[in-house]
Amino acid sequence: RHSGAVTGAGALAATLCFGAVLALRGWIGARWPLANGCETMLFMAFAGSAGALVCRPALLRGALLSVAAMAAFVAAMAGKTPQIASLMPVLASPLLSIHVMLVMCSYLLFMLMAVLAAISLAKGGELSGRLARVNATVLVPAVFLLAAGIFIGAVWANQSWGRYWGWDPKETCALI
């Protein structure tokens, strides 16, 4: 019980911190803060810590906080030059923000599945079966969010560049 309270407090502190940083970046830039690598990874860290707030099982909460910490680490590496610049008009579309949020939430769920699979491999036994069921359950919303994100991204690309798909490496890897 004590470790659950500690991880709950950690999840709350992380959620508030990441949310405040995102809100501040959005306020300063007068836009949704989802336009560059640092901001998208901050959003992923925020979503992971917020997910840890609502999860009851301590193992799941800890796994989500681990994913949030990994995303925060990548955001810190990407934020070496944290200047907040105005966006090119093509990036100012609300569809881009929705696309990024959906795709990053799906990536968060896929990372959660990877962390749970690693724990399952390390621990084995009955826990392995339970974690496999959790992963099978998480797979459905992860794939749905990714498909919705790719679809909205294609609509945004068509509005922005006149084509739905460009076989860009990021597009292709997301599809795969």
Side-chain angles (χ1 to χ4, degrees), residues 93-171:
S93 168
L95 282 178
L96 174 64
S97 297
I98 294 168
H99 159 70
V100 169
M101 283 191 275
L102 289 172
V103 169
M104 294 311 290
C105 285
S106 74
Y107 289 170
L108 171 78
L109 293 176
F110 285 123
M111 278 185 69
L112 172 65
M113 290 172 56
V115 168
L116 292 177
I119 293 170
S120 177
L121 286 173
K123 296 281 187 179
E126 183 182 319
L127 179 64
S128 181
R130 287 197 329 238
L131 291 180
R133 286 190 295 278
V134 169
N135 272 356
T137 304
V138 170
L139 180 61
V140 174
V143 170
F144 174 78
L145 288 170
L146 185 60
I150 290 172
F151 177 78
I152 290 176
V155 172
W156 168 71
N158 187 45
Q159 287 180 354
S160 301
W161 293 300
R163 64 176 193 205
Y164 288 100
W165 194 266
W167 294 105
D168 177 84
K170 285 172 71 176
E171 294 172 343

Side-chain angles (χ1 to χ4, degrees), residues 33-45:
L34 295 166
N36 59 39
C38 177
E39 292 171 350
T40 57
M41 294 311 290
L42 277 171
F43 174 77
M44 190 171 182

